[in-house]
């Protein structure tokens, strides 16, 4: 019995040895599994959320940059359109409005032709429409703006044509409407009026009523032509302030 007791006391405890070995191992396995589980949660939840946030921030920045670029392009286009209108006006006035037509200054009375009559001979309406159809700067406009411009150009051409009819009739009857008051009130800033006054002074200071009447009639007709020219210039200039449908 004593031998068995000594043998029992010195024999190893297999139950305690297993617990000492495997419980720490199981703990390590559990921690490793928890680590893998945490990685999985991070990969399938946290990481997508982070990527989504980064993507949203990138999209927001891109939208801001795109908005700024779009605004810059719009401003550049508006300037281009404005330049096109100005260039059209610069080309249209000499070509269609007779801006550079000289008055009849020939010494031969048969060759003299008043400037107003030269302006009335111009077909401003057809000239504007033809110029608008081939003007290179206008080809850079957007289709809607190009259509808006041509509609405005046609309307302005019609207004000028109507004004020409009225002004021409007024021009042809201007001499008949001259009164004695008009003759007496000849503009002193006119070179011809001052020249006539000088000639009358040389002849003894007696007014030449026939010469004065012809001068008054000529000035009255010229004024009608000048008013018509101003109307052409004002209407063509109005193209620079069109209300664009794309704004």
């Amino acid at each position: 019995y004593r031998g068995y007791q000594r043998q029992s006391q010195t024999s190893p405890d297999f139950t305690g040895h297993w617990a000492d070995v495997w419980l720490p191992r199981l703990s390590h396995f559990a921690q490793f599994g928890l680590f893998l589980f945490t990685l999985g949660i991070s990969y399938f939840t946290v990481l997508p959320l982070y990527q989504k946030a980064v993507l949203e921030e990138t999209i927001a920045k891109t939208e801001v940059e795109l908005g700024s670029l779009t605004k810059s392009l719009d401003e550049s286009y508006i300037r281009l359109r404005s330049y096109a209108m100005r260039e059209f006006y610069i080309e249209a006035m000499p070509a269609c409005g007779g801006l550079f037509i000289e008055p009849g200054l020939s010494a031969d009375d048969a060759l003299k032709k008043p400037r107003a009559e030269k302006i009335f001979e111009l077909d401003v309406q057809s000239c504007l429409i033809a110029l608008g159809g081939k003007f290179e700067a206008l080809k850079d406009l957007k289709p809607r703006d190009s259509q808006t411009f041509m509609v405005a150009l046609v309307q302005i051409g019609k207004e000028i044509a109507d004004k020409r009819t009225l002004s021409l009739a007024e021009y042809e009857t201007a001499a008949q409407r001259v009164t004695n008051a008009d003759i007496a009130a000849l503009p002193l800033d006119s070179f011809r009026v001052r020249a006539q006054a000088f000639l009358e002074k040389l002849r003894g200071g007696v007014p030449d009523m026939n010469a004065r009447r012809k001068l008054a009639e000529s000035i009255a007709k010229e004024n009608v032509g000048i008013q018509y020219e101003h109307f052409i210039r004002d209407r063509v200039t109005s193209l620079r302030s069109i209300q664009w449908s794309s704004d």
Side-chain angles (χ1 to χ4, degrees):
Y1 173 77
R2 290 178 181 177
Y4 176 78
Q5 187 177 13
R6 286 194 302 269
Q7 185 178 2
S8 299
Q9 290 176 353
T10 58
S11 62
D13 189 351
F14 292 101
T15 302
H17 177 72
W18 183 90
D20 292 339
V21 173
W22 285 101
L23 285 179
R25 292 180 180 179
L26 291 175
S27 176
H28 293 325
F29 289 147
Q31 292 178 1
F32 183 72
L34 181 61
F35 172 73
L36 293 178
F37 180 73
T38 304
L39 287 179
I41 293 177
S42 300
Y43 182 80
F44 291 106
T45 58
V46 178
L47 185 60
L49 292 176
Y50 173 75
Q51 292 176 338
K52 180 181 178 182
V54 172
L55 180 60
E56 290 177 349
E57 182 179 0
T58 303
I59 293 174
K61 291 180 179 179
T62 303
E63 289 178 347
V64 172
E65 294 174 356
L66 179 60
S68 178
L69 180 60
T70 301
K71 182 179 179 181
S72 178
L73 289 175
D74 290 341
E75 293 174 351
S76 297
Y77 174 75
I78 291 174
R79 287 194 297 269
L80 181 146
R81 188 177 61 192
S82 177
Y83 293 153
M85 295 298 98
R86 185 177 63 181
E87 290 179 11
F88 180 83
Y89 170 79
I90 292 174
E91 185 166 336
M93 284 309 300
C96 303
L99 184 63
F100 297 147
I101 290 180
E102 297 180 356
L105 298 177
S106 173
D108 187 350
D109 289 342
L111 297 178
K112 287 183 179 180
K113 195 171 192 178
R115 174 182 173 84
E117 293 184 11
K118 297 178 182 179
I119 299 297
F120 284 128
E121 290 176 353
L122 297 175
D123 187 353
V124 181
Q125 182 181 21
S126 298
C127 180
L128 289 175
I129 295 175
L131 181 61
K134 65 180 182 180
F135 196 63
E136 289 295 330
L138 299 176
K139 295 180 180 179
D140 295 328
L141 298 182
K142 296 178 181 179
R144 290 182 61 184
D145 286 346
S146 180
Q147 181 180 5
T148 299
F149 170 79
M150 291 305 300
V151 169
L153 191 62
V154 170
Q155 177 62 31
I156 288 173
K158 182 179 183 303
E159 293 174 2
I160 293 175
D162 293 341
K163 180 66 175 179
R164 176 185 177 277
T165 301
L166 296 176
S167 296
L168 185 57
E170 186 179 355
Y171 178 83
E172 293 173 347
T173 59
Q176 303 172 11
R177 297 193 304 273
V178 172
T179 63
N180 292 332
D182 295 329
I183 298 174
L186 287 174
L188 297 179
D189 59 346
S190 170
F191 173 78
R192 288 177 297 170
V193 173
R194 294 199 301 271
Q196 179 63 33
F198 179 74
L199 290 176
E200 292 174 354
K201 185 177 181 180
L202 293 178
R203 295 170 183 172
V206 179
D208 186 345
M209 299 307 296
N210 288 331
R212 283 178 170 263
R213 172 170 287 278
K214 290 181 180 179
L215 190 56
E217 291 174 354
S218 177
I219 292 175
K221 296 175 74 173
E222 288 176 359
N223 288 337
V224 174
I226 290 172
Q227 292 175 4
Y228 174 60
E229 284 191 69
H230 288 172
F231 183 83
I232 295 175
R233 183 179 65 248
D234 292 343
R235 296 312 299 138
V236 176
T237 304
S238 69
L239 289 170
R240 298 168 62 179
S241 57
I242 293 177
Q243 297 298 319
W244 302 101
S245 57
S246 61
D247 287 347

